[in-house]
Amino acid sequence: MLLIWGLRVIYRTLGQGVFFCRRCGGDREYRHRAGRRYITVFFIPLIPLAKTGEHVQCLTCKTRYVTEVLKLPTTVQMQLAVSAGMRALVVAMLRVGDPANPLARRRAIDAVAGTGERGYDEAALTADLAEPEGTEIGRIAAFGGQLQVEAKEWYLAEAIRIGLADGPLTGQQRAAAAHLAAALGMTQAQAIGVITLTGQNAGQN
Ligand SMILES: [Zn+2]
């Protein structure tokens, strides 16, 4: 009798979910798998051999990655972090000015909506302003830790434009902007640069 021997890798799925696939350039479904080689007899895996290691596979493009790829945030998680950071900046800036001013509120809502949170409206802003004071700085610092310096400057300028919506910055708003810049992890010189430039640009419009 002739035995037909072979080798085959059998995969076991350890988990699945959504991750950021670099090859696809977006959030995709993945399968987290572990493989093991088997000697097969008549195509039936019979004798287990070495494990082949774990991998994460994109179900769209089939690219395999090392499992560390799951530690990276998805674009949805990134967007949520950016929205949360912007909401904290907006609230901090409105509180030192006039939180009831319609121009400043409009600017604040536009800034948050611009981060991808399309449904952000007057009611959501009112709810954010009702949150206990003092919690924003921690959220802004966590947000700033994820950003490159150009992005920090951009978000700070967005916050400053809220203060500028109803006229030139007051001393209190200027001090708040410097405080926000420090929370974002910017140097004093960078902060002064952004505050001055944003004010000048607003004056030219
Ligand atoms: Zn992919």
Side-chain angles (χ1 to χ4, degrees):
M1 180 175 147
L2 176 73
L3 287 176
I4 301 177
W5 295 82
L7 263 179
R8 198 175 141 192
V9 178
I10 307 268
Y11 290 102
R12 199 158 50 88
T13 298
L14 304 173
Q16 45 202 9
V18 174
F19 81 129
F20 178 77
C21 176
R22 274 175 302 211
R23 176 96 184 274
C24 291
D27 294 349
R28 296 288 184 272
E29 301 260 347
Y30 72 82
R31 201 163 48 184
H32 177 194
R33 300 197 301 175
R36 181 160 213 162
R37 271 181 227 288
Y38 281 82
I39 290 178
T40 59
V41 180
F42 289 116
F43 310 104
I44 298 163
L46 221 56
I47 306 163
L49 301 173
K51 291 182 179 169
T52 62
E54 296 178 14
H55 69 257
V56 168
Q57 186 176 33
C58 172
L59 295 189
T60 303
C61 69
K62 310 297 179 200
T63 304
R64 292 178 183 189
Y65 298 94
V66 293
T67 53
E68 275 68 30
V69 79
L70 296 181
K71 290 180 189 157
L72 298 172
T74 63
T75 57
V76 169
Q77 286 166 336
M78 283 287 278
Q79 191 258 308
L80 287 176
V82 167
S83 293
M86 187 53 107
R87 282 164 70 170
L89 280 173
V90 151
V91 164
M93 206 61 199
L94 277 179
R95 275 189 178 144
V96 291
D98 175 10
N101 183 281
L103 289 174
R105 289 178 73 92
R106 187 69 255 159
R107 191 79 205 94
I109 290 166
D110 287 349
V112 176
T115 65
E117 206 162 324
R118 300 266 166 252
Y120 199 77
D121 57 8
E122 280 287 339
L125 179 61
T126 302
D128 277 351
L129 283 164
E131 292 282 315
E133 223 170 309
T135 59
E136 312 89 49
I137 293 300
R139 278 182 286 151
I140 291 166
F143 172 54
Q146 317 267 335
L147 303 175
Q148 301 294 315
V149 67
E150 295 80 5
K152 293 177 192 199
E153 291 182 350
W154 191 84
Y155 285 108
L156 180 65
E158 280 287 278
I160 292 168
R161 280 191 278 270
I162 294 164
L164 288 165
D166 54 353
L169 292 185
T170 63
Q172 221 183 352
Q173 285 173 325
R174 196 170 273 276
H179 192 50
L180 294 177
L184 283 168
M186 295 167 66
T187 66
Q188 208 177 0
Q190 287 168 339
I192 291 168
V194 174
I195 294 167
T196 306
L197 203 66
T198 311
Q200 283 170 358
N201 287 341
Q204 284 159 8
N205 289 340

